[in-house]
Amino acid sequence: MHLALERYNKLSRIIAAGAGQKNQSTQIMESYVSSSPSNHPNSLPPSSHPWRKPLLALEFIALAILVASMALLGDQAGGDAAVHPAWLLIPALASLAVFASFIGLMYLRWVVAASAERQLRHKIIFGLLALTLLGVWLYSVIQTWLSLGA
């Protein structure tokens, strides 16, 4: 609330300065811009990181491949012919790519954007969550492979 009030006061001084006093209004505007939290290094949004767009593209492309491969495997399994186990590599690798890109985006959001004093804590929590997600993925792939032999 205090920060918003301070910015309001600075902007009202800029307006009150008028067109004739450009030097003073320019100084006030520069002080306003330099005090903006968006100019501080740790407050840059994760959306500005160079890896964000490639990770998003990878996630959605892999998700499309995963959905398409699951539909294709569903159509193949509907008949009397058995599905070759090698075809299961497509959805397994696509789901791994979805998880990996999700984990990468989560790293950008939680660890990179964290302040310096909280980064260690965020890295520990992120590592535990990433290991859990990859462990669930590995468990499901192993269980699917074992169920083929049953």
Side-chain angles (χ1 to χ4, degrees), residues 62-141:
L63 188 60
I65 292 171
L66 177 63
V67 170
S69 68
M70 295 303 287
L72 180 67
L73 286 176
D75 288 344
Q76 286 182 356
D80 293 333
V83 176
H84 193 274
W87 282 103
L88 293 176
L89 285 176
I90 296 171
L93 293 176
S95 64
L96 179 62
V98 169
F99 271 125
S101 60
F102 175 75
I103 289 169
L105 288 167
M106 188 173 57
Y107 181 82
L108 293 179
R109 174 66 74 180
W110 287 2
V111 179
V112 172
S115 61
E117 61 270 359
R118 292 187 175 191
Q119 245 184 359
L120 179 63
R121 184 181 338 164
H122 284 240
K123 282 182 181 180
I124 292 170
I125 293 171
F126 168 78
L128 291 172
L129 188 57
L131 284 175
T132 302
L133 286 172
L134 291 175
V136 167
W137 177 84
L138 185 63
Y139 177 79
S140 64
V141 168

Side-chain angles (χ1 to χ4, degrees), residues 32-53:
Y32 171 73
V33 170
S34 66
S35 68
S36 173
S38 63
N39 290 336
H40 296 132
N42 281 339
S43 65
L44 290 175
S47 61
S48 66
H49 197 277
W51 279 94
R52 184 176 184 273
K53 285 184 182 180

